[in-house]
Amino acid sequence: MTTITPKASYPSWVRELHSPPNPKSKSASSIRDPPGFSASSTGKRAQLSKATSHKPPTPEETDILKVKKSWEVALAPAKQLPMNAIMMYMSGNSLQIFSIMMVFMLFKNPLQALMQTNAVFVKYETPRTRSKMWVVKAVYVLMNLLALGLGIWKVNGMGLLPTTRSDWLAWETQREPVERAIFTF
């Protein structure tokens, strides 16, 4: 049978666990405030921040922010080009499931993006920004066409594009020779 021992026989860490130490007061703390910090300035700042209210942005500022964000969206495919190029290089030119799926994704994503060009930029378009948005959309289309060009380069490297004369032999007619040379003894 187990007997319960008095609290005095418990290890010190058990006693400290069940009775946490008393919190130290700020004045008793040995840690100094960081340079430039004063307790009185934080109270003033808190009162000032509560007193001043943030004014809403003007429509011109909102339009400028929308145009900047639309440029970020338009240039996003260009930021993916180096990564896609390295992935295509590393996947090799042999016909394997991994390289085929990589090429499929390289074609699928830009084609989807091209089909959804207007839907991507509809939230950034306002009557005042409409004149600037066609340039942004053109850059977006160009960047996605570059991604498609990368896919075409990869497919050519894999030997899947019919670019040589031997790829079209089925449609070639046999040439009739003008003369025949016959070897005799």
Side-chain angles (χ1 to χ4, degrees):
M1 186 172 247
T2 333
T3 59
I4 300 175
T5 58
K7 276 192 169 185
S9 64
Y10 288 132
S12 63
W13 66 270
V14 174
R15 281 182 266 135
E16 291 171 2
L17 181 67
H18 291 295
S19 60
N22 297 328
K24 295 180 181 177
S25 65
K26 178 74 173 156
S27 60
S29 176
S30 62
I31 301 173
R32 296 183 308 136
D33 288 336
F37 177 81
S38 65
S40 62
S41 66
T42 58
K44 291 178 183 176
R45 286 186 187 161
Q47 291 172 355
L48 286 175
S49 66
K50 289 178 185 174
T52 58
S53 63
H54 181 69
K55 64 176 182 173
T58 63
E60 291 81 21
E61 291 173 342
T62 304
D63 289 343
I64 291 170
L65 289 174
K66 284 183 178 182
V67 169
K68 284 183 181 180
K69 184 63 178 172
S70 65
W71 273 108
E72 288 178 17
V73 171
L75 294 175
K79 294 176 183 175
Q80 295 173 0
L81 282 176
M83 178 197 59
N84 284 334
I86 291 171
M87 287 173 32
M88 291 301 116
Y89 174 75
M90 292 300 211
S91 66
N93 288 336
S94 60
L95 291 175
Q96 298 172 358
I97 189 68
F98 181 71
S99 59
I100 291 171
M101 289 185 62
M102 297 286 285
V103 170
F104 172 74
M105 293 302 291
L106 191 62
F107 279 109
K108 181 181 108 41
N109 292 337
L111 286 175
Q112 280 183 339
L114 287 172
M115 287 188 275
Q116 298 173 353
T117 301
N118 286 329
V120 169
F121 292 104
V122 74
K123 59 185 168 187
Y124 306 115
E125 197 165 337
T126 62
R128 283 180 276 201
T129 61
R130 190 164 287 136
S131 63
K132 297 175 187 175
M133 291 305 287
W134 73 271
V135 178
V136 176
K137 289 179 183 179
V139 169
Y140 182 73
V141 168
L142 179 68
M143 294 303 136
N144 282 303
L145 289 176
L146 284 174
L148 282 174
L150 182 65
I152 291 172
W153 167 78
K154 179 62 179 178
V155 169
N156 185 37
M158 293 171 78
L160 297 177
L161 282 183
T163 56
T164 61
R165 186 173 179 176
S166 62
D167 293 326
W168 302 97
L169 286 180
W171 292 276
E172 293 247 345
T173 57
Q174 188 175 7
R175 291 189 284 177
E176 292 294 324
V178 179
E179 309 180 349
R180 291 192 187 261
I182 300 174
F183 180 74
T184 58
F185 289 104

